[in-house]
Structures are given as structure tokens and as C-alpha cells.
Amino acid sequence: MNKLALPDLRSWNAGDGVTAERMNLLQDMMEFAIAPPECKVIRKATFSMGTASTAYAITFDNRIMDNVAAFGTGAWPSDTPTRLYARVPGMYEFHYSVRWNSALEGGRRFMFLNPDGLSIGSAANWFGTTETIAAGGGDGNENQSGTIPWYMNTGQFVELGVFFDGAGVASASLISATVESPDYRFAASIHMKWVSF
Amino acid sequence: MVYGPHVNVPDPRTYADSDSIDYRDMDENIFQAIRFKLQPPMVWAKRQANLAVPTGTNVTIPWDVIFIDTHRMIDTTVDATKIIPNVPGRYKFIFGTYFANTGAITGRKVMWLKKNGGFTRRHERRFSNTNPDCRLGARAVTQFMNGTTDYVQMAVFQEQGTSQNITQVSNTELAAYMYMRWESVT
């Protein structure tokens, strides 16, 4: 089924016979229920954050899956690699993560979603924010993960943002993973899934 | 946002050759069952007003904005802290909170998911140095709810030594939030 359109939530009324049209409506609803629009992208390469107290949108460099792409422009267009778009309206759930460089000891580290092109530098626009702090002393690499719902209309998008305040920091970057598996320990990842009308 | 018509989990059935099938079978047992999955029971409750959290005290959060309640699972006129699912099943919960900027937060900051008054899941941060604010956020857990008497709440706790507020920063950074979605039958 075309994932660029929501299925028609019809009822089956008295007098309705079994027609191809109605069976196709049923098929569309079932397919949408068992395989809703979803997309997962990751950042494999090191992502450098040059300046403390500045928010950055992660530029993703690999697509794990995007089941909307088969029907046209997918959720992750190549010309805007920081953005995940909703191609149909609805409630979406996001799962996201970043892996901070072990050199980044001390200071606060934020990971958040940024909606629809609003100023990423304004913390008032962030949502789904998670915050950690490294006390220093060789804590090693640190992973952050989060989950948040967000209602989106067609054409709206989110970005995955990161921010650190620089206190006690010698260098600042997200660390690229040593790839042991295609599905974990990347510099950053985000999974977006439609869950409801 | 309230929709229906289902407040019950669709009842799966098996047909026999001798069954006569009419529109009700197609509608109630097939169409509406799929519709239930596409429009699952859902709540998104928010806390926008400041809420004082005395040091060393668990505070259960009264919700003051009900953004989504598809099946009327919160009655703020009775108890604004409780979400009482009226559809049985396993639910996914996502919740978070924001402790206000006080200039120097120390000690533990904790948030809890409470089921039937007991503390079931928690997320905690311990501070070893000075920070201007504190977000505990975006955590997901699942719980089975019986659809009749089970209820959930969210609580916060801190041990700064003085009372602290959870507070809303913006329309996206809330004092607290709780999202709940029906996930499956078991």
C-alpha cells in the first residue's frame, strides 16, 4: 500500500456486499496497521562539535530503513540529511541515541529533538531532551538514549540535536563507533514510527 | 481528542463453514478490529504549572492539561493524578520532567511511574557538582493494565535540602508529561 496516504477508516454497513473496492480498503488498513510508515537512520562517522554551548543538528550518513521511500520521497531526503519528515499526518514515536566521546569529561551534555526548522539554538524549542553530566576522571564513552511521541502533520520534520556546555572539556565530538554490528554503537541514531491517527 | 467506537479490545473469533456471514461480521470483527490497531487507546497528559517538590518527599503529579485522551481515561474532576485505562492490555509509557533552574542543583533527582499506588519504574540522576537545571526525560517502559481497577501515576522526588519546583520552560519543554499508548493484548 502507498504509505504516502492514510488508509480510509471505513465501516462495513448493512447492505454492503463483498466487492473488490471494499476488500482493497480492508487490505490497505491491514497493511498500514502491520507496516506503518517508519524510518531509521544513523550517523556512523565522527560528528565534530566545534563550539561549546552551541546546538548542532546531527547529519545522518546512513539509512537503515525507510519504508516510505518506495512510494516517492521518503522520510529522509538526501538533500536534507539532518531531517526526518512525516509524509502522512499522525502520532509518531521517536527512539534516538548518541554516543559521546570519552574525551568529553565534565560539563553537561544534551540530546534532544528539534521540530520543524525552529531555531535549534533556542532550548525553548527542544523536546524529548535528555541530559547527562560526566563527573570527569575517565568515565569513558557515554551513551544517551531517549524516546518521545510527537504529533506531526504532512511535511513537518524533526532533527536530532546535541549540545554541551563545555565545562572542563578538552575536546568535543561524538565518537564514531567501531562497527561490531550494523545496528548499535553508532555515533547517533534515530528511529521514527507512525503509531496512530 | 476522543474517538471510538471501541473501548474494548476486539474479540478475535474463528469462523466455521456453517456460519452465515453478514455485514456485522465484516464490520465488528474485521474492519473495527483493524481500526482499533490504527487508533489505539492513548493518553498524553501534561503538567504546565509549577509544582513544588519538598526535599525528601515523593510528590505525585496532578495533570493540568490533557492533550489527548482517546477513551476518557482521566477524570480531572475526580483525581487529576490518575490515568485509569478502560481497555485491558500492555501499555507503553513515556514520561519525563524538568526541575527548575535554581542556580545550583545538588543531590538526587528522581521520577517514578507508579502503578496502583506502588512505585514500579524509576529514573534517577545523582549530581556531584553544580548545575543550573535538571531534565529527567524521555524514558519508556511497559506495564500490563487490567482495564478496570489498575491505574498509573507519575511522581517526582528530590533531596536538595530545600523545596524545588518542576516547571515548564516552553510548549515543548514541560514541567512533566506522561504519554501512554495501548500496545498489545498481553
Side-chain angles (χ1 to χ4, degrees), chain A residues 87-165:
Chain A
R87 299 304 182 195
V88 292
M91 184 68 76
Y92 288 80
E93 288 178 5
F94 296 86
H95 301 264
Y96 42 100
S97 69
V98 297
R99 185 167 185 250
W100 294 91
N101 191 319
S102 60
L104 189 54
E105 301 289 4
R108 293 181 303 156
R109 313 164 188 187
F110 298 88
M111 173 187 69
F112 55 89
L113 296 186
N114 185 56
D116 218 24
L118 296 177
S119 170
I120 198 172
S122 171
N125 295 330
W126 302 354
F127 68 101
T129 308
T130 70
E131 174 185 348
T132 65
I133 183 164
D139 284 349
N141 301 327
E142 185 175 6
N143 295 280
Q144 239 178 312
S145 64
T147 304
I148 197 76
W150 196 248
Y151 186 87
M152 299 174 76
N153 286 311
T154 302
Q156 289 189 309
F157 65 87
V158 298
E159 298 173 308
L160 176 62
V162 284
F163 176 97
F164 75 102
D165 68 7

Side-chain angles (χ1 to χ4, degrees), chain A residues 173-184:
Chain A
S173 64
L174 296 172
I175 190 169
S176 177
T178 303
V179 182
E180 292 99 351
S181 162
D183 228 3
Y184 73 107

Side-chain angles (χ1 to χ4, degrees), chain A residues 77-89:
Chain A
S78 58
D79 59 342
T80 51
T82 64
R83 299 177 178 180
L84 288 182
Y85 282 86
R87 299 304 182 195
V88 292

Side-chain angles (χ1 to χ4, degrees), chain A residues 10 12 93 108 124 126 129, chain B residues 27 133 170 172-173 179 181:
Chain A
R10 283 274 306 273
W12 202 293
E93 288 178 5
R108 293 181 303 156
W126 302 354
T129 308
Chain B
D27 190 57
D133 54 21
S170 67
T172 53
E173 290 281 32
Y179 165 86
R181 175 176 61 80

Side-chain angles (χ1 to χ4, degrees), chain A residues 9-14 26 30 91 93 95 108 110 124-126 129 131 133 147-149 196-197, chain B residues 23 27 30-32 34-35 38 44 68 92 94 125 129 131 133 135 138 170 172-173 177 179 181:
Chain A
L9 294 183
R10 283 274 306 273
S11 297
W12 202 293
N13 302 310
L26 188 59
M30 281 196 296
M91 184 68 76
E93 288 178 5
H95 301 264
R108 293 181 303 156
F110 298 88
N125 295 330
W126 302 354
T129 308
E131 174 185 348
I133 183 164
T147 304
I148 197 76
S196 176
F197 274 75
Chain B
Y23 76 94
D27 190 57
I30 298 179
F31 257 50
Q32 299 307 328
I34 301 169
R35 187 171 179 157
L38 292 169
W44 192 344
I68 295 174
K92 180 176 189 176
I94 300 174
R125 283 188 58 195
N129 58 356
N131 293 273
D133 54 21
R135 291 167 176 82
S170 67
T172 53
E173 290 281 32
Y177 59 87
Y179 165 86
R181 175 176 61 80

Side-chain angles (χ1 to χ4, degrees), chain B:
Chain B
M1 182 189 302
V2 176
Y3 51 60
H6 276 283
V7 292
N8 295 312
V9 179
D11 186 17
R13 63 163 291 183
T14 303
Y15 289 95
D17 287 342
S18 57
D19 288 343
S20 61
I21 298 173
D22 67 12
Y23 76 94
R24 284 178 289 266
D25 296 283
M26 296 303 292
D27 190 57
E28 294 170 12
N29 295 326
I30 298 179
F31 257 50
Q32 299 307 328
I34 301 169
R35 187 171 179 157
F36 182 87
K37 184 62 178 172
L38 292 169
Q39 293 182 317
M42 180 184 294
V43 165
W44 192 344
K46 302 178 178 181
R47 176 72 192 189
Q48 293 189 334
N50 286 357
L51 181 65
V53 185
T55 189
T57 303
N58 287 303
V59 174
T60 302
I61 298 172
W63 305 110
D64 56 11
V65 174
I66 310 303
F67 182 51
I68 295 174
D69 183 1
T70 59
H71 289 64
R72 298 184 179 90
M73 294 184 271
I74 303 180
D75 187 343
T76 56
T77 64
V78 176
D79 188 339
T81 69
K82 290 183 179 177
I83 303 172
I84 310 173
N86 49 21
V87 178
R90 183 159 293 278
Y91 284 79
K92 180 176 189 176
F93 298 89
I94 300 174
F95 54 110
T97 190
Y98 178 88
F99 279 92
N101 183 334
T102 60
I105 284 181
T106 58
R108 291 188 300 162
K109 303 292 178 292
V110 182
M111 66 176 184
W112 307 81
L113 180 71
K114 297 170 66 178
K115 179 180 177 182
N116 300 337
F119 294 89
T120 59
R121 297 287 185 274
R122 85 175 192 178
H123 175 61
E124 171 180 332
R125 283 188 58 195
R126 184 180 296 276
F127 287 79
S128 58
N129 58 356
T130 300
N131 293 273
D133 54 21
C134 172
R135 291 167 176 82
L136 297 174
R139 290 300 187 274
V141 299
T142 64
Q143 284 285 317
F144 183 83
M145 310 299 289
N146 65 14
T148 54
T149 57
D150 284 348
Y151 63 92
V152 291
Q153 298 164 298
M154 178 178 167
V156 286
F157 173 88
Q158 60 89 19
E159 50 183 15
Q160 171 110 3
T162 58
S163 182
Q164 301 290 301
N165 283 344
I166 58 171
T167 189
Q168 174 170 306
V169 180
S170 67
N171 288 334
T172 53
E173 290 281 32
L174 304 165
Y177 59 87
M178 169 83 82
Y179 165 86
M180 179 185 88
R181 175 176 61 80
W182 186 92
E183 181 104 343
S184 67
V185 172
T186 56

